[in-house]
């Protein structure tokens, strides 16, 4: 069966170049970077080289980058670490309604500990309002955490403007750049970013490794306590091969940046046009152009997203949905609610994200299959009946 | 995730459609929680001679509707009312715990349809005693905190 | 140059069989286990098979095992998660003075939040006293965390007896089994263990992956908040290849268990005897026989451990020291202080840990080189002067 | 971790040993913090004609002792007193920040030795003014929280 992977926003395959770079660090250069002997020093050296490589792609100093186990841990550390470090200054955090659960659930757990959190609304395209942000800042505000690019609908926030507001008010600014790193040019200095989460497995690197950028001078309470790794800020034996892989993936991403973005946008647009032209009662979500190059997000009326995904899967196509039924929760994705989609439409959502290995044939095949599937599911749907009068 | 039986009933759902001159119609669920099930019945001499469904919902909602219609068709109303969602789940070889509510919806859509038939025909069935269609829309979702897989 | 790695307690090389098992999960079966499509389901399947494999080796149910980014995260989660979940019941934790920093620094951070921690003493061999443990239990005690096997001096604690005491008093029992898993037979039921930390890179698996066993019914506050992974208990995209590698490493460890232990003990004893017979003013630390099969721990009087390690490194031998100078801290290792070593002796400590790839020649070479190095450093030492009268 | 110069002075330390009839001896550090440095001086006409050391300590303690003796030997006492730990660190091509205290120890061991010589000979040197050997044992460790590598 033909298999078409259109879920690059969920995770990416590790590129061959990346895996090749990692291989020597499993069984040959396998030392613990904290050890002072040669085996350890070799490992420490490559960890710090990798750190410098990645830091370079965001215009950070290598001493400002700390490895973690992934984007989620980086989000937890940034938000909990800043909140706890600044709790004598204030207890108010500003974020948005469309953050990843790594931020939202972290904020909820801080609320239980007495912190106050403002969840900014977004407009129909998924953008926060800069005025609302500025208006939400209070003397007690210690942190603003707004994601760079949304993982579901792909919308890009005005990061530099947010950074300027945060700076003007003397408030720390964290951004979850898990979907942005490798797909956008990032300059933490120019954008006034104090804290930034990134993750390797979204950019063709291995899973289970990420990093947190912490601007020099910013103090966080440690999240993982223990040994003296990562300059005493993040304990746990360094995941050397994965760190090497992450750096290689970042290197490839920014080496091939223009071609990558151009290719993804072309494929995504082909997909968007194909779907919008062949399937009616369909909405395209997210910002029309301020968005992730590979992200396409549709909502099909009268049908439910999980059934859509299952049907696509049966013809080898892998996508993702914000439907409640995929996650086992009651409500459709908080992101789709936040952009104002009605429940029935939100339930029929489908994210198709293209990547470096996607082909035009993949896209054309998907458009064709999708049309058949949507029609079939609509024929079963009592809601569609009402539109067609049961015909 | 799903058993072969679920996938079979999802991909080849039996009895999809509408019965124009149905003797009873039942609809449960709502768009908000993402499942709507409508069941049409043809009943002759207390026997369910035809049954069709339309479902807006996930794979297990569609499969549950399909298996329910298969199990119900040809049975007497009393026999059919004795079936519970557990029977549907059993016939499907199991459902993930977060999806059990789909099978409950199928049971209730059928009951609402029988209720509708009773209203129209003046009949009554022991198996329907105390059944109030107004409660059938209730939320049967299981958050499944512990056993989501 | 001959290279002899005798630092298996710090980390191990990933075995070829393990790496081979991991390889398909980087670029082929690369899906996100949370995705409902085929790519995701394949990944989820192997994650759960791996979980079952590992759980089996500790007599746990697969639903009781949660993957983490390593031993340190497991330690943090267990202790912080239990303390926070039970804070209405009490605020007292009992641990020992010789725990890994993953436990000790976690306890210290809880102390800052108002928890009270009792750090049990150990005897000269590194054993806690069961009487002292029982005496330390108060109505407010919510957790006992005692490590299975010490990472420095190798001492094995009476885990089953500790578990029985914890159970009798209705207190949760966590054990840091990072050094024990794969080197001892573990039965969480028989030993009454409620929570147990393990880590892959100590048993010839990849770095950056570990697990926490949580007995069914035990409630912890989540540590990493975010997505619904690991049955909503530990957020973050699952590190699929590393999980597979961890399971393979565990499988090999328990498949070859007897041969592994026998081999390590024989090599370790050869080392111990060789060193003790050829070098005077030397102390062998840790329990004489209740200890990790691969661990040998010496303290050489009159010399300092970092100088020793550097000298060994120059002849290709990799070891480890609890000397203050290796870590940049003021005091020698807390473990060596806890077993009552005087500072001057503790500074001259050397841990040599043998492993599956160690040979008899490695041991003999090490004994020979060590003798030369110790003599050379002693000749430079003003402390040795005092003993030899400057001769 | 260490520069080539540090490793050279660690593996081939210059001037290790004891001067039996030393004109001045200085010892600083203590076993507790893991560094003890003892320096022996031979002084003729205010010139350091010989210098030897014994050190219990880490690689940088040994290298610092060695480089200090090399830089001091042959200098006048005044010239030598003008050297600071920074000069030793510079000559070693740098030391990790957590190890800087080792170079301080070398500077102080030398000063204590000169102090001892002054006590015995009745001499005094401007560079030693205000120097109190009782303070020389102080803890010069830098916790190096920020720049441990
Ligand atoms: C925006 C965003 N933040 C955080 C994460 C979490 O990253 P990780 O899976 O590396 O924990 C993801 C992806 O899962 C994401 O898309
Ligand atoms: C006893 C003990 N606990 C915890 C750890 C931490 O494990 P990890 O390096 O996987 O975080 C180690 C090893 O570093 C250890 O030896």
């Amino acid at each position: 069966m033909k298999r078409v992977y259109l879920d690059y926003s969920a995770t990416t395959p590790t590129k061959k170049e990346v895996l090749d770079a990692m291989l020597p660090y499993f069984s040959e250069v396998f030392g613990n970077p904290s050890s002072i002997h040669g085996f350890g020093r070799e490992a420490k050296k490559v960890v710090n080289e990798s750190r410098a490589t990645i830091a370079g792609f965001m215009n950070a100093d290598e001493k400002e980058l700390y490895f973690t186990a992934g984007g989620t841990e980086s989000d937890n550390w940034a938000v909990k670490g800043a909140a706890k470090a600044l709790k004598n200054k204030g207890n108010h955090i500003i974020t948005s309604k469309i953050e990843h659960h790594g931020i939202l659930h972290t904020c909820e757990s801080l609320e239980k500990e007495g912190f106050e959190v403002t969840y900014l609304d977004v407009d129909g395209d998924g953008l926060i309002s800069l005025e609302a942000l500025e208006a939400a800042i209070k003397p007690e505000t210690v942190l603003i955490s707004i994601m760079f690019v949304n993982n579901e609908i792909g919308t890009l926030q005005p990061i530099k403007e947010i950074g300027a507001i945060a700076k003007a008010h003397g408030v720390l600014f964290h951004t979850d750049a898990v979907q942005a790193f490798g797909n956008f040019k990032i300059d933490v200095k120019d954008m006034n970013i104090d804290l930034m989460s990134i993750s390797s497995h979204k950019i063709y690197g291995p899973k289970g490794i990420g990093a947190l950028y912490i601007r020099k001078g910013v103090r966080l309470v440690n999240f993982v306590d223990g040994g003296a790794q990562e300059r005493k800020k993040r304990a746990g034996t360094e995941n050397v091969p994965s760190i090497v892989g992450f750096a290689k993936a970042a290197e490839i991403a920014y080496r091939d940046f223009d071609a990558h973005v151009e290719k993804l946008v072309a494929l995504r647009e082909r997909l968007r046009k194909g779907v919008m032209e062949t399937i009616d009662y369909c909405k395209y979500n997210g910002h029309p152009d301020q968005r992730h190059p590979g992200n396409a997000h549709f909502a099909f009326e009268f049908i439910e997203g999980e059934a859509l995904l299952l049907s696509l899967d049966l013809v080898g196509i892998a996508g993702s949905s914000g439907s409640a039924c995929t996650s086992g929760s009651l409500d459709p994705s908080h992101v789709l609610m936040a952009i104002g989609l009605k429940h029935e439409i939100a339930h029929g959502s489908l994210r198709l994200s293209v990547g470096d290995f996607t082909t035009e044939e993949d896209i054309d095949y998907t458009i064709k299959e999708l049309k058949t599937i949507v029609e079939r599911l609509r024929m079963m749907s009592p809601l569609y009946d009402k539109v067609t009068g049961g015909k | 995730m799903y058993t072969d039986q679920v996938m079979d009933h999802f991909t080849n759902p039996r009895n999809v459609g509408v019965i124009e001159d149905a003797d009873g119609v039942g609809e449960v669920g709502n768009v908000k929680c993402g499942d709507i099930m409508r069941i049409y019945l043809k009943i002759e001499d207390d026997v369910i001679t035809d049954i069709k469904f339309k479902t807006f919902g996930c794979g297990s909602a569609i499969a549950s509707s399909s298996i329910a219609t298969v199990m119900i068709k040809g049975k007497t109303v009393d026999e059919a009312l004795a079936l519970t969602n557990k029977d549907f789940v059993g016939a499907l070889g199991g459902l993930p715990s977060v999806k059990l509510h789909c099978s409950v919806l199928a049971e209730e859509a059928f009951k609402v349809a029988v209720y509708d038939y009773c209203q129209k025909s003046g009949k009554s069935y022991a198996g329907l005693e105390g059944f109030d269609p107004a409660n059938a829309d209730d939320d049967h979702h299981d958050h499944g905190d512990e056993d989501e897989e």
Side-chain angles (χ1 to χ4, degrees), chain A, chain B:
Chain A
M1 183 178 68
K2 188 171 169 63
R3 292 189 84 181
V4 176
Y5 186 74
L6 293 178
D7 204 8
Y8 284 86
S9 291
T11 194
T12 57
T14 301
K15 284 188 175 166
K16 188 178 176 314
E17 253 183 285
V18 171
L19 182 56
D20 287 347
M22 294 170 68
L23 287 178
Y25 298 93
F26 285 101
S27 319
E28 296 151 46
V29 185
F30 66 87
N32 186 322
S34 300
S35 303
I36 73 164
H37 48 63
F39 296 84
R41 289 198 310 273
E42 291 165 351
K44 177 145 197 164
K45 184 160 173 282
V46 77
V47 165
N48 284 333
E49 285 166 1
S50 301
R51 192 190 312 282
T53 299
I54 298 172
F57 294 121
M58 53 178 79
N59 192 24
D61 187 89
E62 58 183 293
K63 291 193 173 174
E64 297 176 313
L65 197 81
Y66 298 86
F67 290 110
T68 67
T72 302
E73 185 192 320
S74 298
D75 283 350
N76 272 258
W77 184 12
V79 176
K80 291 176 182 172
K84 287 178 185 178
L86 297 169
K87 67 164 183 278
N88 291 329
K89 203 187 149 223
N91 73 336
H92 181 236
I93 296 167
I94 300 172
T95 184
S96 83
K97 289 197 174 149
I98 63 164
E99 298 297 312
H100 188 267
H101 282 136
I103 294 292
L104 287 182
H105 289 163
T106 294
C107 285
E108 285 158 20
S109 86
L110 285 172
E111 284 181 298
K112 284 188 201 137
E113 297 187 20
F115 288 88
E116 190 201 335
V117 183
T118 299
Y119 300 91
L120 295 176
D121 284 319
V122 294
D123 66 15
D125 291 336
L127 287 174
I128 67 156
S129 143
L130 294 173
E131 293 71 41
L133 168 65
E134 193 146 19
I137 299 175
K138 311 193 279 186
E140 301 77 42
T141 309
V142 292
L143 178 70
I144 294 169
S145 179
I146 302 290
M147 73 198 311
F148 209 117
V149 173
N150 183 268
N151 46 302
E152 262 185 84
I153 55 172
T155 302
L156 170 72
Q157 300 295 338
I159 292 300
K160 186 171 170 172
E161 289 74 9
I162 297 171
I165 291 173
K167 193 181 179 188
H169 292 266
V171 175
L172 282 187
F173 174 38
H174 168 255
T175 186
D176 175 342
V178 167
Q179 294 285 343
F181 188 66
N183 292 303
F184 292 89
K185 291 272 169 76
I186 301 180
D187 182 328
V188 289
K189 295 203 174 58
D190 178 53
M191 295 171 164
N192 275 308
I193 296 168
D194 295 305
L195 299 162
M196 184 167 83
S197 306
I198 59 176
S199 179
S200 152
H201 74 100
K202 308 285 185 183
I203 59 163
Y204 310 92
K207 295 177 172 62
I209 188 80
L212 181 64
Y213 158 77
I214 306 178
R215 181 195 285 274
K216 193 170 158 52
V218 171
R219 290 252 157 218
L220 300 184
V221 168
N222 284 357
F223 179 60
V224 183
D225 291 309
Q229 292 89 355
E230 297 295 288
R231 304 169 70 230
K232 300 193 183 162
K233 295 207 196 298
R234 197 279 190 178
T237 302
E238 297 87 339
N239 188 343
V240 183
S242 297
I243 286 171
V244 171
F246 189 9
K248 177 55 83 178
E251 197 181 303
I252 296 171
Y254 284 102
R255 181 191 70 196
D256 303 342
F257 186 79
D258 293 340
H260 161 83
V261 171
E262 202 176 302
K263 171 180 169 149
L264 263 55
V265 169
L267 289 168
R268 194 263 318 277
E269 285 303 297
R270 185 184 187 99
L271 176 63
R272 181 184 62 75
K273 285 193 195 118
V275 170
M276 298 306 288
E277 278 163 15
T278 52
I279 305 179
D280 53 6
Y281 299 109
C282 170
K283 191 175 172 317
Y284 186 65
N285 299 308
H287 196 280
D289 40 70
Q290 285 177 40
R291 71 189 294 147
H292 187 291
N295 172 289
H297 192 281
F298 308 97
F300 301 98
E301 287 189 62
F302 322 123
I303 60 176
E304 195 279 332
E306 193 229 56
L308 191 54
L309 286 190
L310 278 182
S311 305
L312 284 168
D313 185 51
L314 287 166
V315 294
I317 301 166
S320 149
S321 171
S323 140
C325 277
T326 26
S327 64
S329 73
L330 283 175
D331 288 312
S333 136
H334 62 284
V335 177
L336 305 183
M337 294 291 96
I339 61 171
L341 288 197
K342 280 183 288 179
H343 273 77
E344 54 266 48
I345 299 179
H347 281 299
S349 71
L350 178 68
R351 178 186 72 186
L352 296 175
S353 43
V354 304
D356 289 352
F357 300 110
T358 308
T359 63
E360 293 193 346
E361 295 78 65
D362 290 344
I363 300 295
D364 297 342
Y365 174 75
T366 301
I367 295 167
K368 192 176 114 276
E369 294 293 333
L370 189 57
K371 184 176 160 56
T372 314
I373 288 165
V374 169
E375 277 169 8
R376 177 176 167 275
L377 289 174
R378 282 181 177 167
M379 289 317 295
M380 281 193 240
S381 170
L383 300 173
Y384 195 56
D385 269 12
K386 290 173 184 161
V387 174
T388 59
K391 306 276 131 61
Chain B
M1 183 164 104
Y2 286 135
T3 62
D4 289 347
Q5 294 97 305
V6 173
M7 288 312 290
D8 175 34
H9 279 273
F10 170 66
T11 46
N12 303 300
R14 332 293 199 256
N15 306 309
V16 178
V18 170
I19 301 179
E20 295 294 348
D21 56 344
D23 299 315
V25 180
E27 182 174 307
V28 293
N30 61 62
V31 283
K32 228 181 145 217
C33 69
D35 299 288
I36 294 179
M37 232 174 252
R38 196 189 303 153
I39 283 191
Y40 302 85
L41 298 177
K42 235 15 225 174
I43 300 180
E44 276 170 46
D45 298 334
D46 295 326
V47 170
I48 294 153
T49 55
D50 200 8
I51 179 167
K52 296 250 184 253
F53 80 90
K54 285 249 172 164
T55 290
F56 160 77
C58 62
S60 32
I62 290 169
S64 295
S65 316
S66 171
I67 193 79
T69 59
V70 168
M71 291 176 79
I72 287 166
K73 193 168 176 174
K75 288 217 170 43
T76 65
V77 176
D78 281 319
E79 284 166 355
L81 283 171
L83 294 169
T84 70
N85 78 304
K86 295 212 171 56
D87 298 307
F88 307 146
V89 174
L92 289 173
L95 277 180
S97 67
V98 293
K99 301 288 189 175
L100 288 175
H101 70 98
C102 297
S103 64
V104 176
L105 277 185
E107 177 187 334
E108 300 206 325
F110 170 63
K111 285 186 174 161
V112 174
V114 175
Y115 187 91
D116 180 47
Y117 170 65
C118 292
Q119 297 291 95
K120 289 175 181 160
S121 64
K123 294 223 174 202
S124 71
Y125 296 97
L128 213 62
E129 212 152 280
F131 178 77
D132 180 358
N135 296 331
D137 267 5
D138 272 12
D139 172 17
H140 298 284
H141 280 266
D142 170 355
H143 287 243
D145 241 61
E146 279 310 300
D147 295 282
E148 74 194 73
E149 64 266 77

